[in-house]
Amino acid sequence: MSVPRGFLSSLEYVKIERPLKGEAMEMKLVSYLLENSTILKKLTLCLDDSIKKEESVILKELNTIPRLSSACQVVIL
């Protein structure tokens, strides 16, 4: 994945408004942001209504992703 120079070192807040379904490409993007953003403070994600009942599975998966920023919190809407 190619991003502009300095992008990940200045990213503090990200909100992905498109409802996530837990698909591989979505999780890859979330993983990339968490693993490579040095000062990320908050990552807000919306879950697709069809997987709300599986929210705990996605939360467990998100919690296993290493975070470069120790201050980052993940919020699920």
Side-chain angles (χ1 to χ4, degrees):
M1 188 176 295
S2 178
V3 295
R5 179 176 294 217
F7 176 74
L8 292 174
S9 63
S10 62
L11 195 62
E12 292 186 23
Y13 299 95
V14 174
K15 181 176 183 181
I16 300 176
E17 294 182 346
R18 179 181 177 262
L20 300 179
K21 298 178 182 178
E23 295 172 356
M25 285 303 292
E26 295 170 339
M27 298 310 289
K28 187 174 180 178
L29 172 62
V30 170
S31 294
Y32 181 80
L33 291 170
L34 290 173
E35 292 172 352
N36 295 287
S37 300
T38 56
I39 62 168
L40 186 63
K41 294 178 181 175
K42 186 176 183 181
L43 174 62
T44 304
L45 306 169
C46 300
L47 292 183
D48 187 88
D49 287 338
S50 67
I51 62 165
K52 290 276 186 179
K53 61 183 173 276
E54 299 171 22
E55 182 176 340
S56 62
V57 173
I58 291 178
L59 285 176
K60 287 178 187 176
E61 186 175 344
L62 289 171
N63 286 328
T64 64
I65 301 169
R67 300 172 191 183
L68 187 56
S69 172
S70 60
C72 180
Q73 66 174 348
V74 177
V75 176
I76 305 291
L77 300 179

